[in-house]
Structure formats: C-alpha cells, structure tokens
Amino acid sequence: MSRSVVYARRAAATVAPGVLAVGCQDSAREEAARTGAAPPSPTAPASAAPSPSPVATTAANTVEVCREVDQLILAGSRRIATDSAASVTRDLTGEQVADQLRRNLAELADDVRGQARRAADPDIRALIQETADRIDAGSRASRPATWMDSTFTGIPPKLTRECRA
C-alpha cells in the first residue's frame, strides 16, 4: 500500500469521530433552540435540587453563532474526509495530501474566525477566536494528519462544553 493511501486513510479516520461528535452536539442545540431549554451537558452531574438561575445574561446571538461554528466544523470535517478519500483514487503523494489538508484547515479557520467577529458575547468571541487559531495552527503543521489526531478531535467536545448560551 502506498504512503499516500495510508496518509489519506489516516486523515479520513481522524476526522470521522469529530464529525459524529459535532453532529450529536448540533442536534441537542437545535432541540434547545426549539424548546427554549438549555442543551444537556454531557459532563454535568445529576442533582436533586434545581440550580439557581445565572445572574449574567448571554448575548442574543450566542446560540446562532455557536450553531454556525458547529456547522462549519461539521462541513469542514466532511470536506477533509471526502478530499482524503478522493486522494487515494487520484494517487496523490503524501505531501500533496498534506498540502490539501492544510488548505482545508486554513479555509475552515478563516470561516470560524468570521463567526468570532459576529459573536456579541466577548467570552464566546474569545472562545471561537481561540478555536480558529487552533485550527489555523493545524494548517501550518508539518504533519497536519498528526495534528488532527492530537488536537482537532478535541475541538468539538470543547465547543459542546463552552459555546452555549
């Protein structure tokens, strides 16, 4: 098996869990937006007593911006997986696959950064900007598939925890 095939398969396999995690997260957010309830937190412990309402209010567009970031990461992950799979049939070299992955990550970082500029809540803006910066670092990595294994897969869970109203 050629190096480019191994490299492409590794990149596609790395993206799959992120795509699934973002898809699940997005469903919970959509349900919350319809019902007006907060999406369930996967790490929140069960408690018998209701917690007090938070005093601080969140910006009106937080749910919208967070949902859009989820959609961007989901679409970017799909594009990376599709391009990685297609690179096998096009018989690209490992370096060509890496360059393609870097371009996809750079484009995704720019799209996410655009959502950071839209966020009215300064904490959400900072979180999304940090996310864009992390993705941008992957676009500059010497081994972007390795970066995806170690860093990209942690981005959707972090957004699930922190990017919400």
Side-chain angles (χ1 to χ4, degrees), residues 133-156:
D133 292 345
R134 290 176 71 196
I135 295 169
D136 206 28
S139 74
R140 295 186 309 272
S142 62
R143 297 178 64 201
T146 301
W147 174 88
M148 290 191 65
D149 278 342
S150 65
T151 304
F152 187 78
T153 55
I155 290 174

Side-chain angles (χ1 to χ4, degrees), residues 113-136:
R113 196 169 286 111
Q115 291 304 308
R117 287 189 292 270
R118 288 187 54 228
D121 183 314
D123 292 335
I124 297 299
R125 185 180 317 117
L127 171 68
I128 296 173
Q129 181 61 48
E130 175 192 335
T131 300
D133 292 345
R134 290 176 71 196
I135 295 169
D136 206 28

Side-chain angles (χ1 to χ4, degrees), residues 50-73:
S51 60
S53 298
V55 176
T57 58
T58 57
N61 73 342
T62 296
V63 171
E64 176 188 339
V65 169
C66 290
R67 185 180 306 125
E68 185 61 28
V69 170
D70 287 345
Q71 290 299 317
L72 288 170
I73 290 177

Side-chain angles (χ1 to χ4, degrees), residues 17-29 38-44 66-67 69-70 73 124 127-128 131 134 153-165:
V19 170
L20 294 173
V22 172
C24 294
Q25 170 186 345
D26 192 53
S27 299
R29 287 215 176 112
S41 172
T43 58
C66 290
R67 185 180 306 125
V69 170
D70 287 345
I73 290 177
I124 297 299
L127 171 68
I128 296 173
T131 300
R134 290 176 71 196
T153 55
I155 290 174
K158 180 175 178 155
L159 289 172
T160 297
R161 287 188 311 271
E162 299 177 22
C163 192
R164 57 191 162 117

Side-chain angles (χ1 to χ4, degrees), residues 1 29 39 59 94-95 97 101 111 116 144 147 156:
M1 190 177 309
R29 287 215 176 112
E95 190 56 38
V97 173
L101 182 53
D111 293 343
W147 174 88

